[in-house]
């Protein structure tokens, strides 16, 4: 007896199949007639693996305008607001409540894995302690990875490394550095070297905030790639943002792409916030705010697209929709060719799963039963219309259902007789 059977779903787009689950796993894909505790008609909808969010902040989420508004919209005003919020309003309960709201918001939209950045520059590590509790409480449906991230720099802030070590003791999954925010290039390089040493010592993955600045001289990505090779950490290293790469000259980019390929590190791009935050001090024409996504992908480097901030001091928008992030990426990266839609969908699913190191993520018999059902014909249709995830299945259980949005017409389409 199966726990759950969903009949009539499109898994490889064309063929209609049934899918059966037991004890949280996919038991069978094909034509299923055996009994089940629950049988649902999939109505020929598309069954996809869940979306994977590879870079999000839960501690800064949902505080835009509460009470501080980032009037300039710029990064440094955002950092000041966040520092003021931490001093005056940040409590364990506050972080728990906001984080759970965002997790629910994203899970309802089909995200079942997320890598979450946690600011560890607060001496009490309030946000981290709260998020460790949240992580445990949602583990039955959402996999949360926590990354200790020093918002004010590792070397340029007081006790930066001490706090990172404390975060490791408390149980973060991964660690980070922000080399471009350190006072000098040399301090940026040293912060990376020390961060890599800690990662090796404590067996943590690395998720570096890297070159998130419109400065062609910000070249920490080469250091990250080089250290990934030297330490042998390779795929366990991810560099986020790296939008400075758009400002590098072509000869250097060619050398850098070879180094990145050899390093096997992952790149995460966040087109929603970066399109709003970057390019602000450029003269016209202004930069598009993101890194060289198309070139990185074509060079064989694993690139994922992330949603990132949701109503934070840095970004007054955001709904947690991965499709919104993908839609923005299509535009900014000039990825509107026929094959590009599938590529961008992979960047929010399988490529992002690779960033997080998720095992057995695909829709196969024997794998964990995590998937979504959407009404979309293909990747282009999905990204164009951004339909809701009508059914979200987590660990073999139906977690959430969202009805398809449809417009009801009231008959006024026909010309009334009196007009
Ligand atoms: Zn971020």
């Amino acid at each position: 007896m199966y726990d759950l059977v969903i009949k009539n779903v499109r898994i490889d787009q064309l063929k209609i199949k049934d899918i059966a689950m037991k004890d949280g796993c996919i038991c069978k894909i094909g034509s299923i007639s055996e009994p089940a505790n629950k049988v649902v008609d999939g109505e020929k909808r598309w069954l996809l693996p869940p979306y994977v969010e590879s870079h999000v902040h839960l501690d800064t989420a949902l505080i835009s305008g509460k009470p501080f508004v980032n009037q300039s919209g710029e990064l440094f005003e955002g950092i000041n607001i966040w520092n003021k919020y931490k001093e005056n309003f940040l409590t364990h309960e506050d972080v728990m409540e906001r984080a759970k709201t965002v997790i629910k918001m994203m899970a309802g939209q089909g995200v079942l894995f997320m890598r979450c950045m946690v600011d560890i520059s607060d001496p009490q590590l309030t946000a981290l302690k709260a998020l460790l509790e949240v992580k445990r409480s949602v583990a039955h449906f959402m996999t949360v990875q926590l990354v200790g991230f020093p918002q004010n720099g590792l070397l340029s802030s007081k006790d930066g490394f001490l706090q990172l070590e404390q975060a490791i003791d408390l149980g973060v999954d991964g660690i980070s550095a922000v080399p471009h925010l350190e006072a000098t290039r040399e301090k940026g390089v040293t912060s990376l070297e020390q961060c890599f040493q800690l990662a090796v010592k404590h067996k943590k993955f690395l998720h570096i905030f890297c070159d998130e600045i419109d400065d062609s001289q910000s070249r920490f990505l080469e250091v990250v790639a080089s250290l990934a090779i030297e330490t042998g950490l390779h795929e366990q290293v991810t560099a986020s943002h790296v939008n400075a790469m758009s400002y590098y000259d072509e000869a250097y980019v060619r050398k850098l792409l070879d180094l990145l390929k050899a390093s096997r590190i992952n790149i995460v791009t966040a087109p929603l916030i970066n399109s709003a935050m970057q390019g602000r001090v450029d003269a016209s024409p202004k930069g598009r705010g993101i890194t060289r996504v198309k070139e990185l992908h074509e060079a064989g480097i694993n690139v994922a697209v992330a949603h990132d901030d949701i109503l934070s001091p840095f970004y007054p928008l955001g709904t947690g929709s991965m499709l919104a992030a993908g839609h923005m990426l299509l535009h900014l990266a000039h990825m509107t060719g026929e094959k590009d839609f599938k590529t961008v969908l992979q960047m929010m699913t399988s490529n992002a799963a690779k960033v997080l190191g998720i095992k057995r993520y695909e829709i196969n018999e024997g794998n964990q039963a995590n998937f979504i059902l959407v009404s979309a014909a293909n990747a282009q249709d999905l990204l164009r219309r951004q339909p809701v995830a009508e059914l979200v299945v987590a660990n073999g259980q139906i977690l959430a259902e969202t009805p398809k949005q449809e417009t009801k017409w009231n008959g006024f389409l026909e010309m009334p007789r009196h007009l």
Side-chain angles (χ1 to χ4, degrees), residues 93-342:
E93 292 70 31
D94 162 56
V95 176
M96 293 266 297
E97 193 183 324
R98 289 185 289 104
K100 282 186 177 174
T101 304
V102 173
I103 286 170
K104 218 170 134 189
M105 185 196 291
M106 294 188 81
Q109 297 181 78
V111 177
L112 294 180
F113 300 89
M114 59 167 69
R115 178 174 284 185
C116 168
M117 310 300 131
V118 193
D119 181 9
I120 51 156
S121 60
D122 146 42
Q124 279 76 43
L125 296 170
T126 306
L128 176 59
K129 288 171 188 166
L131 289 174
L132 283 162
E133 196 175 327
V134 170
K135 174 185 161 156
R136 283 190 293 272
S137 72
V138 299
H140 55 292
F141 67 90
M142 177 73 81
T143 299
V144 177
Q145 292 181 349
L146 297 176
V147 178
F149 140 66
Q151 175 76 69
N152 301 325
L154 279 180
L155 293 177
S156 302
S157 68
K158 195 172 155 285
D159 298 333
F161 266 101
L162 190 69
Q163 279 159 322
L164 190 58
E165 284 181 321
Q166 284 173 355
I168 291 170
D169 290 343
L170 281 173
V172 285
D173 304 289
I175 58 174
S176 185
V178 194
H180 59 278
L181 288 186
E182 300 290 353
T184 64
R185 156 88 189 169
E186 289 69 26
K187 283 187 176 170
V189 172
T190 307
S191 75
L192 286 173
E193 287 167 349
Q194 295 187 356
C195 200
F196 269 78
Q197 281 169 14
L198 271 187
V200 170
K201 185 177 166 195
H202 296 280
K203 296 191 170 55
K204 301 291 174 191
F205 66 75
L206 285 141
H207 190 109
I208 307 295
F209 284 65
C210 195
D211 300 321
E212 191 182 12
I213 188 165
D214 301 327
D215 174 8
S216 62
Q217 300 303 307
S218 186
R219 293 184 171 188
F220 292 107
L221 185 55
E222 63 180 11
V223 183
V224 172
S226 173
L227 287 168
I229 294 170
E230 282 170 29
T231 55
L233 287 174
H234 297 289
E235 293 86 354
Q236 293 174 61
V237 179
T238 297
S240 268
H241 305 299
V242 293
N243 42 279
M245 191 179 175
S246 288
Y247 293 85
Y248 298 162
D249 62 54
E250 300 309 308
Y252 175 64
V253 168
R254 200 177 286 190
K255 175 207 150 190
L256 182 62
L257 286 173
D258 285 345
L259 179 66
L260 290 170
K261 184 86 201 296
S263 75
R264 309 202 301 269
I265 70 166
N266 308 290
I267 302 288
V268 170
T269 185
L272 291 171
I273 182 165
N274 280 154
S275 63
M277 190 67 79
Q278 309 304 139
R280 284 182 176 245
V281 294
D282 290 3
S284 290
K286 291 178 179 296
R288 296 170 83 92
I290 59 160
T291 191
R292 301 186 184 223
V293 171
K294 215 172 177 177
E295 287 151 275
L296 286 160
H297 170 72
E298 282 167 3
I301 292 144
N302 187 49
V303 182
V305 56
H307 184 291
D308 210 346
D309 290 47
I310 300 170
L311 284 171
S312 75
F314 308 93
Y315 187 64
L317 298 162
T319 59
S321 163
M322 295 306 299
L323 290 168
H327 189 260
M328 181 64 88
L329 179 65
L330 291 174
H331 291 78
L332 296 179
H334 293 131
M335 292 182 76
T336 48
E338 198 182 356
K339 288 181 184 161
D340 292 333
F341 298 105
K342 198 175 168 196

